[in-house]
Amino acid sequence: MFHMFSFFLCCWSLTGVFGAETNEIQSVSVTEGDSVTLYIDVTEIQKDKNMLWKYGAEKCNIAEINRKYEMFSTFDGPDGRFRDRLKLDNQTGSLTITNITREHAGVYQLEIAGARKKSFSVSVYARLPVPVISSNASQCSSSSSSSQQNCSLVCSVVNVGHVTLSWYKGNSLLSSISVSDLSISLSLPLEVEYQDKNTYSCVLNNSISSQTQHLDITQLCHTCADSFSLIELFSAAAAGSLLIMAGFGIFCFYRKHRKTEQQVQTHEDEITYAEPTLNKRNT
Ligand SMILES: *[C@@H]1O[C@H](CO)[C@@H](O)[C@H](O)[C@H]1NC(C)=O
Ligand SMILES: *[C@@H]1O[C@H](CO)[C@@H](O)[C@H](O)[C@H]1NC(C)=O
Ligand SMILES: *[C@@H]1O[C@H](CO)[C@@H](O)[C@H](O)[C@H]1NC(C)=O
Ligand SMILES: *[C@@H]1O[C@H](CO)[C@@H](O)[C@H](O)[C@H]1NC(C)=O
Ligand SMILES: *[C@@H]1O[C@H](CO)[C@@H](O)[C@H](O)[C@H]1NC(C)=O
């Protein structure tokens, strides 16, 4: 009973009251979960006009301003999809849809008494996830055993549609992949050298927004170096200590050798260069 009544109320029409027929359409793009205000320029209308907001092909009334009766109302829509989501500015007549979802996409029409109609075509885009960069593990194990200098990475996203996934080196585009289907997974590979100092980023975008993930080479490309075997580690340590010992030995030998050499030399110095040194000090 109540449902029937609200449906009747929603699609109750006042067409007769609103005269002008000219219609302009403005496109509005918004990301899921955001709010959007369908804005009308107050200078082009008189503030005391009655207004009616309608939605969809059925032209259901969703908001109404009646100045004479001081009535400022919003309605829930036929299936309640606008419940608690509409805000009507009682001064300008602007309509705000909060926490928008895809089911609120469509044409919103504003009728102003004695003025032209205005329509807004609202497109709702998915909220994009932040892409994930990971090392391509299979590639990694083979590269640690060989003398390869490169780190294999892959940037990926799941459940996306109508998006582009790209790799950037600084500001220049390296590679990208676009998809027009709904709800698929995407991945894009990248090869970098371990000691590469450039900044790389992976960007996911649709036509109105983007999400960026920056590559941290030192963190992601370390996994290969970390997977050294224990034997390699021990032999490296042994080789290291051997080197230190050898170095110390050489150092001692040189010190001893140089000392005797120096003693001989200072002796020679005293004899040969005694006079010029004295002259220098006098000047
Ligand atoms: C318009 O709304 C404001 C609050 O949003 C309220 O204070 C004001 O009384 C309203 N004006 C009318 C005429 O209803
Ligand atoms: C926004 O709408 C979604 C779907 O209707 C709901 O799950 C969520 O709780 C809402 N968020 C807020 C902040 O109202
Ligand atoms: C990892 O690298 C291998 C060999 O190049 C490639 O075939 C595979 O597709 C890569 N994995 C991903 C997730 O890109
Ligand atoms: C290493 O990566 C660079 C690009 O960063 C590429 O030009 C080069 O061919 C790669 N080398 C190997 C052995 O894969
Ligand atoms: C992503 O952005 C580029 C330009 O920055 C644009 O050409 C491309 O169409 C966008 N992708 C989608 C799916 O809209």
Side-chain angles (χ1 to χ4, degrees):
M1 186 67 189
F2 176 76
H3 190 81
M4 270 178 68
F5 177 69
S6 62
F7 180 78
F8 168 74
L9 195 70
C10 163
C11 292
W12 152 71
S13 177
L14 281 176
T15 324
V17 182
F18 298 89
E21 284 306 314
T22 45
N23 199 355
E24 55 176 301
I25 295 188
Q26 185 183 335
S27 290
V28 178
S29 297
V30 58
T31 298
E32 225 172 17
D34 283 354
S35 292
V36 64
T37 297
L38 304 180
Y39 187 78
I40 35 164
D41 186 356
V42 257
T43 59
E44 72 176 86
I45 53 151
Q46 279 138 14
K47 276 193 176 181
D48 56 356
K49 291 285 170 69
N50 290 344
M51 295 181 200
L52 193 58
W53 282 99
K54 295 180 169 189
Y55 170 75
E58 299 88 3
K59 296 220 164 69
C60 290
N61 295 356
I62 53 169
E64 183 187 3
I65 294 180
N66 189 314
R67 304 283 179 191
K68 188 175 168 191
Y69 298 105
E70 291 208 335
M71 197 168 94
F72 307 96
S73 323
T74 57
F75 307 110
D76 292 345
D79 47 11
R81 77 176 74 172
F82 290 104
R83 186 168 296 141
D84 300 327
R85 289 181 204 267
L86 296 180
K87 279 184 197 149
L88 185 63
D89 186 312
N90 61 15
Q91 295 295 306
T92 64
S94 296
L95 185 69
T96 300
I97 305 132
T98 58
N99 188 18
I100 203 163
T101 69
R102 281 176 216 216
E103 62 174 2
H104 303 107
V107 175
Y108 292 74
Q109 194 175 69
L110 173 63
E111 292 180 5
I112 302 167
R116 60 206 164 94
K117 291 175 184 170
K118 182 156 186 178
S119 293
F120 300 84
S121 177
V122 175
S123 305
V124 180
Y125 288 82
R127 185 162 289 278
L128 298 177
V130 179
V132 174
I133 303 173
S134 49
S135 69
N136 189 344
S138 61
Q139 189 79 352
C140 178
S141 54
S142 70
S143 71
S144 75
S145 58
S146 73
S147 59
Q148 209 172 31
Q149 302 248 304
N150 280 1
C151 174
S152 267
L153 299 159
V154 63
C155 180
S156 47
V157 279
V158 294
N159 286 334
V160 288
H162 306 286
V163 292
T164 304
L165 186 66
S166 318
W167 271 114
Y168 284 87
K169 179 182 185 175
N171 286 324
S172 56
L173 181 66
L174 290 177
S175 59
S176 73
I177 181 173
S178 288
V179 66
S180 53
D181 297 311
L182 273 171
S183 293
I184 76 157
S185 298
L186 277 181
S187 63
L188 195 61
L190 177 74
E191 290 247 309
V192 291
E193 290 176 7
Y194 286 100
Q195 62 275 64
D196 198 331
K197 292 287 183 286
N198 289 294
T199 54
Y200 290 89
S201 50
C202 181
V203 179
L204 178 70
N205 78 289
N206 57 25
S207 54
I208 65 162
S209 64
S210 70
Q211 290 278 15
T212 301
Q213 181 73 65
H214 295 284
L215 170 62
D216 186 346
I217 293 180
T218 52
Q219 195 176 26
L220 275 176
C221 295
H222 248 273
T223 39
C224 295
D226 289 346
S227 61
F228 266 69
S229 69
L230 270 181
I231 295 166
E232 279 175 291
L233 207 77
F234 273 124
S235 49
S241 42
L242 260 175
L243 257 167
I244 291 167
M245 278 160 71
F248 189 70
I250 290 165
F251 173 74
C252 289
F253 176 77
Y254 254 97
R255 238 174 93 103
K256 213 174 166 189
H257 191 72
R258 270 189 66 127
K259 244 183 183 169
T260 48
E261 214 172 42
Q262 257 176 356
Q263 274 169 353
V264 173
Q265 230 169 29
T266 41
H267 211 70
E268 278 174 7
D269 280 354
E270 270 165 26
I271 302 160
T272 332
Y273 303 112
E275 275 191 299
T277 330
L278 267 171
N279 284 350
K280 247 183 197 167
R281 269 185 205 146
N282 289 344
T283 52

